[in-house]
Amino acid sequence: NAGVIQTPRHKVTGKGQEATLWCEPISGHSAVFWYRQTIVQGLEFLTYFRNQAPIDDSGMPKERFSAQMPNQSHSTLKIQSTQPQDSAVYLCASSPRTGGLSAETLYFGSGTRLTVL
Amino acid sequence: SQWGEENLQALSIQEGEDVTMNCSYKTYTTVVHWYRQDSGRGPALIILIRSNEREKRSGRLRATLDTSSQSSSLSITAAQCEDTAVYFCATGGTNTGKLTFGDGTVLTVKP
């Protein structure tokens, strides 16, 4: 089991360009989460899917950010018109099931470091 | 924020010493998770304590949970250099899938 795979590991974009981040969850896991990590804000929840359906996107900036999970083997986070303040490490995590939710273990990937110049 | 007023904290200790990290939370929870994050990696769960457990041990790790004060602690006994990492506590609300993470503690263990 390779764990959660995130690609690319590093991405540099110019201000105003689009960035797409990819996540492959652990096979068989039913929930996929996206978090953003910065020194100032720490680990911030963005959104999550359960059985490919969007469940909670309360952490997503309303403009420019979107996430999809077209099949059970991958999810994408897209940022349109990137801004310098979007620079962060974007972490994807998966979880095996959604019963007893508050006790679920999240398995994180190593993240994508996005730098917006 | 769900958490108390703590910002990212830093602790530096010598190898072999014991260390305790604390966190407090504002929202009711039945479980507190403790994760560690190594440089360049995502966080990984190291211990989880439930509201019916006042204390939980795993190897050199010990977690406590006080629901009355809404606080939790993580202790490491006889710390080793490989314990150097950032440690986060996290809680999930009842019936929600997401975890909310605290600001974390940067632990450095020096040889």
Side-chain angles (χ1 to χ4, degrees), chain A residues 33 35 93-96 104-108, chain B residues 33 35 43-45 97-99 101:
Chain A
F33 301 79
Y35 284 79
S94 67
S95 180
E104 281 303 306
T105 297
L106 299 187
Y107 296 82
F108 283 87
Chain B
H33 308 237
Y35 281 73
L45 180 72
K98 67 186 183 186
L99 288 181
F101 287 81

Side-chain angles (χ1 to χ4, degrees), chain A residues 1 18 64:
Chain A
N1 191 332
E18 182 178 287
R64 303 188 296 106

Side-chain angles (χ1 to χ4, degrees), chain A:
Chain A
N1 191 332
V4 175
I5 299 172
Q6 290 190 250
T7 55
R9 287 299 308 273
H10 303 274
K11 185 170 183 66
V12 179
T13 65
K15 182 179 176 180
Q17 293 183 329
E18 182 178 287
T20 300
L21 313 180
W22 296 75
C23 171
E24 179 180 332
I26 294 172
S27 177
H29 282 194
S30 59
V32 171
F33 301 79
W34 285 95
Y35 284 79
R36 177 169 64 180
Q37 186 173 31
T38 61
I39 294 294
V40 174
Q41 297 295 330
L43 270 162
E44 299 177 279
F45 168 80
L46 294 176
T47 186
Y48 91 94
F49 298 83
R50 181 174 61 208
N51 295 322
Q52 298 174 234
I55 302 299
D56 182 347
D57 66 353
S58 60
M60 291 278 274
K62 296 309 176 188
E63 298 179 357
R64 303 188 296 106
F65 282 64
S66 62
Q68 294 184 329
M69 191 163 185
N71 57 60
Q72 64 184 6
S73 64
H74 88 272
S75 176
T76 58
L77 179 68
K78 183 179 293 186
I79 308 172
Q80 295 178 313
S81 186
T82 54
Q83 302 297 310
Q85 61 264 30
D86 299 331
S87 296
V89 175
Y90 289 83
L91 292 160
C92 176
S94 67
S95 180
R97 61 179 178 85
T98 52
L101 297 173
S102 65
E104 281 303 306
T105 297
L106 299 187
Y107 296 82
F108 283 87
S110 294
T112 294
R113 180 175 295 277
L114 176 67
T115 301
V116 182
L117 302 176

Side-chain angles (χ1 to χ4, degrees), chain B residues 67-92:
Chain B
T67 54
S68 63
S69 64
Q70 297 193 150
S71 64
S72 179
S73 71
L74 174 71
S75 297
I76 303 176
T77 302
Q80 306 297 308
C81 291
E82 53 264 34
D83 295 326
T84 293
V86 182
Y87 292 82
F88 296 94
C89 54
T91 62

